[in-house]
Structures are given as C-alpha cells and as structure tokens.
Amino acid sequence: MTSTSSNHAVRVENLSVSYGNVVAVKNASFSVNHGTLTGIMGPNGAGKSTLIKAMMGLVRFQRGNIRLLSAHPSQLDGTCIAYVPQQNHINLHFPVTVGDVVMMGRYSYMQRLRPPRARDREAVKASLKKVRMHDKKDRQIGQLSGGERQRVFLARALAQQAELFFLDEPFSDIDFASEKVIISLLRELAGGGKTIFVIHHNLDKVFEYFESLLLINGEMIAFGKTQCVFTPENLARTYRDSHMVLAHDDDAAVIPK
Amino acid sequence: MIRGLILFTESLMRYSYLQQAMLAAVLVGITCGIIGCFILLRNLSLMGEAISHAVLPGVVISYLLGVSFFIGAMLTGLLTALGIGYISENSKLDDDAAIGILFTSAFALGIVMITAVGGTGINLWNILFGNVLAVSKNDLGLTAAANLVALSGLLVIHRELIISTFDPVMAKTVGIPTKRVSYTLMILLSMVIVASLQTVGIILVVAMLITPSATAFLLTNRLRWMLLVSVVIGALASIIGVYLSFIYDVATGGSIVLVVSIMFAIAFIINKYLTGDSGIQ
Ligand SMILES: Nc1ncnc2c1ncn2[C@@H]1O[C@H](COP(=O)(O)OP(=O)(O)OP(=O)(O)O)[C@@H](O)[C@H]1O
Ligand SMILES: [Mg+2]
C-alpha cells in the first residue's frame, strides 16, 4: 500500500456499472480525502444512486476498481458505512417507531439474542437529540413530516458511528428548518474527519453546501473542487437532455425543458 | 349457548382426541400469527399460498415411500419456493407470475398422483381442508416440534429479518446477508405450513398466516404489539373455531378461518369508522 492511496478515504478508478444492457455508470474516476463533503449531481436516471450503491459494495460492477478506507468494499465490517435511503423507498406504514429505526443503526454493535445495552440506548438518544427529534422518539415512522423523517434517518446513520456516509437525496421535499439541521450536522461530521457523499438535486445551494462536487449523466462529467466543477459548460453537458442551462457571467440557471 | 359451553367443556375434559385437537389448533394459531406478521410485511402472502399448494405432491410421495408426510411435504414446498425465486431472477417474469405457474403445476402434479395411485389411504379432503379431530398424539408431537423450531428460528434472526424487511439496502451496508435471511424465512415458513396441514388444510392455511397479522396490522403501530395481537387473534380464533365445529358439527378448518375473518371485519370497521387513526401507540 502506498502512502498516497492510504490518504484517500475513497478511491474509484474507471468504474462502469450496467444492469443487463443498461449502462448506468460509465467511466467514473475520482478520489476523496478524509473529512470531505462531496455533492453528487445529475438528472433523473443519471446513475447517481447506482454510483453510491457500487461504492458501498451493493451492486456488481463490470469494470473498474473501488477502494474504501484502503480496502475492498466487501472487506469492510458493518460499522464503516452509514446509508440514508432515498425517501420514496421506505414503507411508511411499517410498524416501527422513530426510536426503533435509530436503534437499527446499532445493529453491528449488538449481540444476537441480547437486548440493546446501555451504550446502544445512549447512542440512540444522543443521535436523536442531535437531529432534534428526541421528543418524537415514540412516533410511528409514517407519522412524521418528510423533513422530520429525513432527520430520523440521519440519526440512524449517526448512531452507526461510521466513517463513510452516503445520503441519497436527503434534501428533496423537506422543510427549510430540517435542511438546516441536516447540513450543519453533515458539516460537523466532515469537520470531525468523516467522509460524506450527498446526492443533491437543487442547484442553488451547491457552493454553500459542498466543497467538492461530482457531475454525472451516465458518464462522469466532472469531479473536483466545487468552484472548478460548477461551471455553465459542465452543467450544460450534465443536463443537456432534460434541462436548459442559462449562463450569465459566473451565474447559471438550469430550467427543466 | 351456555348449555353448549358446558357440553364442550365436559367433552374436552373427557376425550383426549378433543384435547389434542384443541392443542394443535392453538399451536398453529400462535405460530402462524407470529410468522404471518413477517410474511405480511414482506408482501409474501402469495408465496405462502404457493408453498401450501406445492405440499400436495410431497404428501403423496411420502405415502408411497412410507415415510412421514412431514418430510415429503417440506421438500416439495421448499423446492417450489426456490423454483419461484429462480424463475423470477432469471427471466423478466415477476414473482407474481412465477408463483402462479409453479404452484398450480405442483398442485396439479399432486392431484394427478393421488388419482393415479388410487384407492390409497390418502384422504384428499383431509389434506385440502384439514381434519383436526383426527390429530394423534404422534401428530401433535410433530406439530409442536415443528412450531418450536420455527419460532426459535424466528427469534434467532428477528433483528436481521426486521431490518432487511424495512430497509434492505441499509441492511446490506451493515453486513446483513439479506438473501440468506430470506431463504431462512422460506424454510421456516414451509415448516409452519406443513405443521398446519392437519388443522386447517392446504387451501385455508394462508388465512391463518395473513388474516390475524393483517388484523393486528390495522390495530397497532409497533411490531411488538402487532405480534402480540396477531398471536392472540390466531389462538383465540382457533379455540372458538374448534368449539363451534364441535357444537355445530361443521368442518373445523373452515370454522376457524371464518372466525378469523369475522375478527378482521370487526377490526377493519373499528379502524375505518371509529378511531381517527391508526391504533395502539
Ligand atoms: N435494479 C435495476 N435494474 C435495472 N436497471 C436499473 C436498476 N436500478 C437502476 N436502473 C437503471 O439505471 C439507470 C440509473 O439509475 P439510478 O437509480 O442510479 O439513477 P439516479 O441518478 O439515482 O436517478 P434518480 O434521480 O431518479 O434517483 C436508470 O436508467 C435506471 O433505470
Ligand atoms: Mg436515485
């Protein structure tokens, strides 16, 4: 292992992922240091979710190489990766409470046939307090607003005490207060050396939220520091099929066609 | 009504066949009530239907080989469950279609085998609709053992089962082998179904899996309450069902299932018209 590779929390080389004949991700290469908050952007069906699933070792990829924490994704134990799912992939009628959901994050720390221990309960409580949802810990998961629910899933990720965080569109359809709680926690995590990937849809907060940015539309379009990547030309290439990009000096607006 | 109750209690004290029937029915009610919750939450009702029908050829094969019907029934039930998974993974057909094809094939095979063998000791009616009053001490032991194994299995994997049902992607990221969990559930489900054959029979066993758990799902908001309510409903319906079938001399399986169905109807009405929303917190 060379010293340069171990500095990177995540390294992806020439990654291509297909489902049958559908190529979802083509030729993605990038490396991310510890403590980086990276945004992933692209139109619907661009392969964003597929890219993070491949990074987490959940979908098989045809070509390329992925290293997480200098290891192959499948060699990591259950405590390394925390994942926050895309909202509409959750059954809202499932009979679990907010507290139950966050306790799922403690799975890798619990022993079979043993109830949660004090440190598990404390981790759940602390995580819920951080996202300001502790007072609603006994609510059924469907009886929350979209933003509250997203905060609960972030709390579950916090309770995992992971190194790498993957969030699939955490800011879609949520209230402004929840968005602020979530982004400030993500910044705090990154400040503490955690590496975070966030799939993002909204173009106006990009500079404010992410220090590094990855643009994808099947093919990886660009990756790097946000100010270098978030340019009208790159956006035009990323959203060419679905949106119009209006550029004016340093400002760009992307409008659905 | 009172007289019927007294007659039933007296008979229950006196006749061991009735005691065995009651025990078997309650055991089935309890175990189906528990595993049924997971089957419901994973949308596997049709899978239960498939396994139960696919048991038929296994029963005939067991008879021909002279082994316990448990073995053959488990085997063909499981083979069908695996076959369904294989077809839906290796073609563009959904589970739904794969289930429709496979369980009818297995069931047809069973029917053809029974008629081909002819004049055997196999009573098709009993297999299809159950005959709990014919449960022997031996059968009861077997039923109890199968249910115990299934419940222990569920206890051992309950955390994995819950997480992978709720959020399969997250389950994989924390290292839960989600495929193995769902195969284990299939095996346990097959055991429970085979153990229920004598009580409610092939055709009606799905009702014992789905109706109590669906009723509990309507009335509760937490898994532990859902499990508890489902078990109580399953057990209670079994007791009432055996009682009614004894008093009115009607088929036990049908009578148990009817009681469960009435309970569901009541819960549905309560849920829809009486409570503002959704049950026990
Ligand atoms: N399990 C799957 N089987 C087959 N094709 C899939 C599967 N998952 C995704 N795809 C296809 O791969 C492509 C990329 O999908 P993906 O979900 O990664 O996109 P996305 O960028 O996350 O989209 P969205 O913004 O809608 O969430 C799409 O064309 C999609 O239809
Ligand atoms: Mg997606």
Side-chain angles (χ1 to χ4, degrees):
Chain A
M1 195 187 309
T2 66
S3 63
T4 46
S5 78
S6 57
N7 283 339
H8 289 136
V10 173
R11 208 179 72 219
V12 172
E13 287 169 342
N14 288 319
L15 177 73
S16 294
V17 189
S18 331
Y19 299 102
N21 300 326
V22 182
V23 182
V25 175
K26 205 168 137 194
N27 261 329
S29 293
F30 56 93
S31 315
V32 168
N33 288 327
H34 287 277
T36 314
L37 179 49
T38 304
I40 298 175
M41 298 185 71
N44 289 115
K48 305 180 295 294
S49 298
T50 304
L51 176 64
I52 64 170
K53 281 181 188 159
M55 283 197 268
M56 295 188 292
L58 304 185
V59 298
R60 252 192 270 168
F61 47 92
Q62 285 65 32
R63 239 158 38 87
N65 187 13
I66 298 176
R67 300 251 127 192
L68 301 184
L69 309 173
S70 308
H72 192 269
S74 62
Q75 292 165 335
L76 298 177
D77 77 8
T79 64
C80 294
I81 296 173
Y83 167 74
V84 175
Q86 209 166 337
Q87 283 262 11
N88 48 12
H89 294 179
I90 287 298
N91 172 5
L92 296 182
H93 296 294
F94 206 88
V96 286
T97 63
V98 166
D100 296 335
V101 170
V102 180
M103 189 59 87
M104 289 178 189
R106 299 298 298 170
Y107 171 78
S108 306
Y109 299 91
M110 291 194 274
Q111 280 175 321
R112 193 176 291 288
L113 295 177
R114 295 275 170 79
R117 284 178 281 192
R119 57 168 202 188
D120 299 314
R121 289 194 301 272
E122 272 151 27
V124 168
K125 191 171 167 188
S127 306
L128 277 172
K129 285 202 161 138
K130 279 205 163 148
V131 301
R132 304 202 195 135
M133 285 297 294
H134 189 254
D135 52 328
K136 294 186 177 154
K137 67 177 175 13
D138 293 323
R139 287 266 187 104
Q140 191 262 337
I141 192 70
Q143 300 169 335
L144 300 173
S145 75
E148 288 173 329
R149 198 171 308 117
Q150 205 58 267
R151 273 144 66 191
V152 171
F153 282 103
L154 180 61
R156 182 179 72 178
L158 295 176
Q160 278 181 254
Q161 296 167 347
E163 278 307 308
L164 302 168
F165 289 72
F166 296 89
L167 293 83
D168 202 339
E169 298 191 23
F171 301 126
S172 291
D173 301 319
I174 71 171
D175 55 293
F176 186 60
S178 295
E179 183 159 341
K180 264 174 53 183
V181 169
I182 292 174
I183 192 67
S184 71
L185 274 170
L186 293 181
R187 285 204 185 104
E188 190 186 316
L189 286 168
K194 310 291 186 189
T195 308
I196 305 165
F197 290 88
V198 177
I199 296 181
H200 191 64
H201 253 323
N202 188 346
L203 285 128
D204 34 83
K205 300 280 178 46
V206 176
F207 274 108
E208 200 185 316
Y209 284 1
F210 306 112
E211 47 185 312
S212 111
L213 188 65
L214 188 153
L215 294 177
I216 182 171
N217 187 356
E219 223 170 342
M220 188 179 104
I221 307 285
F223 169 80
K225 290 237 178 299
T226 303
Q227 59 266 40
C228 309
V229 169
F230 199 66
T231 62
E233 302 81 64
N234 282 338
L235 290 176
R237 283 173 61 207
T238 308
Y239 291 94
R240 66 192 164 228
D241 310 318
S242 53
H243 295 68
M244 285 193 304
V245 179
L246 307 175
H248 175 72
D249 295 339
D250 269 355
D251 238 2
V254 179
I255 301 163
K257 268 184 192 164
Chain B
M1 177 81 192
I2 300 286
R3 213 177 314 146
L5 214 55
I6 292 169
L7 173 66
F8 181 71
T9 318
E10 275 173 9
S11 312
L12 194 58
M13 309 282 236
R14 190 169 316 148
Y15 303 116
S16 63
Y17 83 90
L18 198 55
Q19 292 161 8
Q20 283 154 15
M22 192 56 115
L23 268 175
V26 170
L27 273 175
V28 165
I30 290 172
T31 317
C32 283
I34 290 180
I35 200 167
C37 287
F38 294 104
I39 300 306
L40 184 87
L41 290 172
R42 288 172 88 98
N43 296 323
L44 288 176
S45 320
L46 268 177
M47 189 61 103
E49 186 83 21
I51 293 176
S52 61
H53 283 72
V55 149
L56 188 59
V59 174
V60 186
I61 292 170
S62 307
Y63 173 79
L64 293 175
L65 297 178
V67 297
S68 161
F69 80 94
F70 252 76
I71 298 171
M74 273 284 294
L75 211 67
T76 50
L78 268 178
L79 274 178
T80 307
L82 292 180
I84 289 164
Y86 183 80
I87 289 184
S88 68
E89 269 170 38
N90 292 288
S91 74
K92 60 181 179 184
L93 292 173
D94 288 336
D95 259 11
D96 190 34
I99 286 174
I101 296 165
L102 270 188
F103 95 77
T104 46
S105 314
F107 195 65
L109 178 65
I111 297 283
V112 167
M113 284 171 84
I114 282 196
T115 46
V117 174
T120 64
I122 302 177
N123 184 334
L124 184 60
W125 174 271
N126 283 354
I127 299 170
L128 294 183
F129 301 108
N131 183 5
V132 75
L133 297 179
V135 170
S136 68
K137 267 226 167 64
N138 234 339
D139 297 335
L140 183 61
L142 221 50
T143 303
N147 283 330
L148 200 68
V149 171
L151 288 182
S152 319
L154 284 176
L155 185 65
V156 171
I157 63 164
H158 77 278
R159 219 167 255 155
E160 287 81 359
L161 203 49
I162 293 166
I163 299 178
S164 66
T165 307
F166 179 64
D167 188 347
V169 180
M170 182 271 188
K172 284 185 206 153
T173 65
V174 296
I176 293 174
T178 49
K179 272 229 170 97
R180 220 183 309 154
V181 170
S182 71
Y183 283 128
T184 309
L185 182 64
M186 283 306 122
I187 294 173
L188 300 179
L189 176 62
S190 305
M191 278 181 111
V192 172
I193 287 175
V194 174
S196 315
L197 280 191
Q198 288 186 303
T199 339
V200 282
I202 286 175
I203 308 284
L204 294 177
V205 60
V206 171
M208 294 309 286
L209 290 169
I210 298 308
T211 316
S213 60
T215 310
F217 183 68
L218 289 183
L219 296 176
T220 62
N221 262 334
R222 300 198 64 169
L223 190 59
R224 67 180 72 141
W225 290 115
M226 180 177 168
L227 288 164
L228 186 72
V229 172
S230 179
V231 163
V232 170
I233 289 174
L236 204 63
S238 300
I239 294 170
I240 299 174
V242 171
Y243 166 76
L244 292 176
S245 95
F246 180 81
I247 296 293
Y248 297 107
D249 193 23
V250 291
T252 319
S255 149
I256 294 174
V257 171
L258 271 185
V259 173
V260 153
S261 308
I262 291 168
M263 288 177 169
F264 172 80
I266 293 170
F268 181 82
I269 290 166
I270 289 175
N271 184 255
K272 181 133 176 50
Y273 299 104
L274 300 184
T275 61
D277 180 27
S278 29
I280 306 167
Q281 275 287 346

